[in-house]
Amino acid sequence: MIMPSISGLRADLAFIAHWVTPHSQVLDLGCGDGAMLQYLQHEKQCSGYGVEIDDDKIPRCVDREVLVIQQNIEDGLAMFADDAFDTVLCLSALQMMKHVEPVLRDIARVGREAIVSFPNFAHWPHRLSLLMGRMPISESLPFQWYDTPNLRCATISDFEDLAREVGLEVIDSVALSDAGEPVHVLPHWRGSQAVFRLRKR
Amino acid sequence: MQSIGHVTPQSIHFGEPLKLQSGASLSEYTLVYETYGTLNADGSNAVLVCHALNASHHVAGTYEGKPKSEGWWNNMVGPGKALDTNRFFVIGVNNLGSCFGSTGPMHTNPATGKPYGASFPVVTVEDWVHAQARLADRLGIQKFAAVMGGSLGGMQAMAWSMLYPDRIAHSLVIASTPKLSAQNIAFNDVARQAILTDPDFHAGDFYAHGVVPRRGLRVARMIGHITYLSDDDMAEKFGRDLRNAEYQFSYGVDFEIESYLRYQGDKFSEYFDANTYLLITKALDYFDPARAHNGDLGAALANTQTEFLVVSFTTDWRFAPERSREIVQALVNQRRRVTYAEIDAPHGHDAFLLDDVRYMGVVRAYYDKIWRHLQSTAPRKQREIA
């Protein structure tokens, strides 16, 4: 593994954490149990808030000393001022949104930079499944078509277009394998997760 | 989980005058309070629990010989409960102007030798907090680990963070609001009018006439109670259920909801003081810390050093989640440490008094955190001894 998982942080998160500037103000949208923010607070002296809708995750964030605000991201980020954060994280959450574009615009409004990740629909096993006439089921998309929380399927190229449209410029992007390692050869085919580092244009 | 068992109220008399926000002052007063658990050696584990409109210092436990006298937050406070009295020294205090023991309208005004009645000065949330701070002084508490309250109690927890920023580490603001809306004030005034226009009110001096403005209190309570429940909860509990099988075609009780509200009103008018009801609704109406800062709540909270837990309930239309979000937003804009939980509970405003796994889970996790902080900041000397 290229990026060892520190403090038990998932490999893909550990990779993404390297893109976050030490001592920065971070907003983590869909922060889950707060593992990422806890790591950033501990290892990189970052501060900020998590946003999470799931009831069960709120006490777990409290346990981790992560400041969490319970709300639906799609209700808008009116709670947060323009440019309030150095970095907005939206990791493995965007594909669950009904309205992706307004969420992305909100991210661009409240953050100077953003890091967005989502399952790459063009990952080769997915392409193969579709060729075989089936919706893909994989480690990154582990649900049946009829019960998946992932409402939006996008490829790396698709996302680039939308990011540009909402006023975000791609600083960096990487495709990660299921093991959380960067994929350098044929990333659009071989990456299961797409990660974008974006800046307001 | 066990209850705290039998508890006994205590009281402290304060001889030094308390200057009130209105400009008036109380020359002397008594505060009644209860405590649960044990204050640690460095006095760092104290939690103040502030009561809302019709509650008191009796937060938890029961009174000896009265098994039904459970405190109003007995499900929250006790050994092993979310606010664990094995860890924390918990104080419940009855506010000035109340009718449960602390100096209030039915007590004798030392200046006249007669009951205060309607001449009891109007007190504010801030006045209560200053009185509570004096109680803390007497009990040897320099800094509270937390101040907590629901509804009007949450306003006190908020006011503590602004008035005594260095005397409170955590503020738990539950089902509360940074200010009442026009609708909230309207409901309060209808309740007040019911009391003020009751012929038995006698301009607040009904004690001398040997009567109680029961009808006014009853209506006031009925109105209040409607705002504590959600529409869905009321529909679920009562629907259009009839007391008898058929319509009565009269003005007695037809529907179960009428019977319930009348019963609540009657019960309330037996024990609650009409002047206290007026006072406390005024304290609610006047609370608006942003007012002194041109309506900027963030500016009002700018000097706080407290960490906050804000909790709201989705079906609370009295102090709706939007009001709590205003508090959170102001704190976030000030870069304060704040956690916000929005509990999808069906019970309206009353939800803050009821058991809900998610609600209790968040509060418990929060007190666990406060406890961890206390352990890690305990004076070295103590830890060495231990």
Side-chain angles (χ1 to χ4, degrees):
Chain A
M1 201 184 288
I2 294 169
M3 232 28 106
S5 77
I6 315 162
S7 314
L9 196 65
R10 246 173 41 215
D12 57 329
L13 296 182
F15 180 88
I16 292 164
H18 280 73
W19 276 352
V20 179
T21 315
H23 303 281
S24 58
Q25 295 276 350
V26 178
L27 180 68
D28 187 355
L29 299 176
C31 68
D33 64 6
M36 183 65 161
L37 265 180
Q38 184 190 34
Y39 174 84
L40 293 173
Q41 286 168 191
H42 264 250
E43 306 297 322
K44 305 197 103 174
Q45 289 71 54
C46 294
S47 56
Y49 306 92
V51 173
E52 178 56 49
I53 190 167
D54 186 351
D55 289 319
D56 296 335
K57 300 291 196 316
I58 307 302
R60 299 183 62 190
C61 288
V62 174
D63 290 343
R64 289 178 183 269
E65 304 279 332
V66 164
L67 302 176
V68 64
I69 291 161
Q70 186 170 25
Q71 75 151 88
N72 184 348
I73 297 165
E74 293 200 74
D75 289 345
L77 303 179
M79 184 85 80
F80 308 103
D82 296 358
D83 292 318
F85 298 93
D86 298 312
T87 302
V88 179
L89 302 177
C90 186
L91 306 178
S92 307
L94 208 59
Q95 77 278 4
M96 299 184 200
M97 304 291 148
K98 203 166 163 190
H99 304 287
V100 175
E101 193 189 322
V103 172
L104 212 51
R105 284 188 194 281
D106 247 349
I107 290 174
R109 180 182 65 78
V110 302
R112 276 181 275 273
E113 274 189 30
I115 300 174
V116 174
S117 77
F118 57 88
N120 176 23
F121 200 69
H123 189 204
W124 70 265
H126 301 161
R127 298 189 191 210
L128 195 62
S129 285
L130 286 169
L131 276 176
M132 307 288 282
R134 290 287 182 180
M135 278 298 277
I137 294 174
S138 68
E139 199 164 315
S140 62
L141 294 172
F143 302 95
Q144 294 283 357
W145 66 272
Y146 51 83
D147 67 0
T148 179
N150 300 322
L151 304 178
R152 305 296 171 198
C153 304
T155 68
I156 293 175
S157 308
D158 291 335
F159 182 79
E160 280 171 348
D161 293 346
L162 181 62
R164 206 167 328 161
E165 182 149 340
V166 302
L168 289 166
E169 170 194 355
V170 178
I171 312 171
D172 214 340
S173 73
V174 70
L176 298 178
S177 68
D178 281 332
E181 295 165 28
V183 175
H184 300 293
V185 181
L186 294 173
H188 287 230
W189 283 78
R190 295 179 58 239
S192 74
Q193 198 181 167
V195 190
F196 282 85
R197 190 177 178 194
L198 308 147
R199 180 168 54 202
K200 210 174 314 200
R201 262 208 312 268
Chain B
M1 258 171 287
Q2 68 208 98
S3 166
I4 192 122
H6 293 150
V7 296
T8 315
Q10 295 164 272
S11 65
I12 293 183
H13 182 260
F14 296 82
E16 59 275 37
L18 182 72
K19 187 124 174 46
L20 304 171
Q21 200 181 331
S22 65
S25 67
L26 280 172
S27 58
E28 54 174 315
Y29 57 95
T30 298
L31 291 178
V32 176
Y33 64 99
E34 288 179 13
T35 70
Y36 325 106
T38 312
L39 188 64
N40 62 10
D42 59 340
S44 64
N45 69 334
V47 174
L48 179 67
V49 174
C50 303
H51 68 77
L53 205 162
N54 60 325
S56 72
H57 51 281
H58 184 41
V59 175
T62 53
Y63 295 138
E64 192 160 12
K66 294 181 181 169
K68 283 190 175 169
S69 62
E70 274 189 353
W72 57 271
W73 229 348
N74 200 49
N75 57 348
M76 177 72 81
V77 181
K81 294 183 181 172
L83 174 46
D84 188 349
T85 50
N86 290 328
R87 290 174 169 180
F88 295 99
F89 178 65
V90 180
I91 303 166
V93 57
N94 190 213
N95 285 322
L96 289 170
S98 176
C99 52
F100 296 112
S102 292
T103 300
M106 71 281 289
H107 290 124
T108 305
N109 180 351
T112 63
K114 289 180 187 163
Y116 279 103
S119 73
F120 192 90
V122 172
V123 282
T124 62
V125 167
E126 287 80 0
D127 293 332
W128 285 336
V129 167
H130 290 306
Q132 291 162 2
R134 288 189 179 177
L135 176 68
D137 293 340
R138 292 282 190 94
L139 296 177
I141 296 154
Q142 175 48 39
K143 183 174 184 172
F144 282 107
V147 177
M148 177 190 200
S151 192
L152 175 58
M155 294 176 178
Q156 293 159 61
M158 225 182 302
W160 259 97
S161 74
M162 294 181 266
L163 296 173
Y164 296 98
D166 52 352
R167 295 195 67 178
I168 160 178
H170 292 266
S171 176
L172 287 80
V173 179
I174 299 170
S176 195
T177 176
K179 59 173 186 275
L180 261 60
S181 67
Q183 190 192 45
N184 292 145
I185 295 170
F187 276 116
N188 278 349
D189 198 47
V190 174
R192 281 191 296 266
Q193 288 304 318
I195 291 169
L196 291 165
T197 58
D198 186 327
D200 284 339
F201 183 62
H202 295 289
D205 294 325
F206 50 88
Y207 317 106
H209 293 80
V211 291
V212 169
R214 258 184 235 292
R215 284 160 293 181
L217 266 172
R218 193 163 167 260
V219 173
R221 177 59 170 175
M222 289 168 80
I223 292 160
H225 212 90
I226 295 167
T227 69
Y228 303 151
L229 304 178
S230 71
D231 190 15
D232 285 350
D233 200 28
M234 240 191 222
E236 163 106 359
K237 273 193 189 132
F238 308 102
R240 290 180 54 85
D241 293 355
L242 294 168
R243 197 89 180 108
N244 304 296
E246 297 300 330
Y247 287 177
Q248 301 298 299
F249 298 100
S250 71
Y251 303 111
V253 170
D254 266 314
F255 296 93
E256 286 289 359
I257 183 62
E258 296 174 312
S259 163
Y260 174 78
L261 284 180
R262 289 178 196 197
Y263 171 75
Q264 291 293 337
D266 285 340
K267 210 170 64 169
F268 190 70
S269 69
E270 299 285 313
Y271 70 83
F272 211 83
D273 179 76
N275 285 311
T276 293
Y277 203 92
L278 298 178
L279 278 170
I280 297 189
T281 54
K282 268 293 174 191
L284 276 161
D285 291 0
Y286 285 154
F287 184 70
D288 182 7
R291 189 167 180 262
H293 301 268
N294 297 317
D296 183 350
L297 184 61
L301 289 161
N303 72 330
T304 59
Q305 301 162 27
T306 315
E307 181 164 345
F308 289 82
L309 173 67
V310 179
V311 181
S312 73
F313 300 92
T314 50
T315 56
D316 182 353
W317 58 277
R318 182 181 171 91
F319 298 154
E322 287 80 358
R323 303 284 82 76
S324 285
R325 279 189 230 125
E326 286 170 23
I327 302 168
V328 177
Q329 180 169 2
L331 290 168
V332 165
N333 284 332
Q334 295 292 322
R335 300 243 172 250
R336 293 304 120 132
R337 294 185 58 80
V338 54
T339 296
Y340 174 57
E342 196 169 295
I343 310 292
D344 187 16
H347 305 295
H349 189 59
D350 258 357
F352 88 87
L353 295 166
L354 303 173
D355 278 321
D356 179 288
V357 182
R358 297 157 296 179
Y359 167 39
M360 290 295 166
V362 171
V363 176
R364 177 182 293 277
Y366 200 81
Y367 274 110
D368 283 347
K369 173 165 107 162
I370 297 176
W371 182 245
R372 279 199 308 276
H373 291 184
L374 279 181
Q375 300 311 103
S376 62
T377 57
R380 182 167 296 161
K381 225 195 280 174
Q382 263 196 333
R383 268 188 287 170
E384 278 168 4
I385 292 165

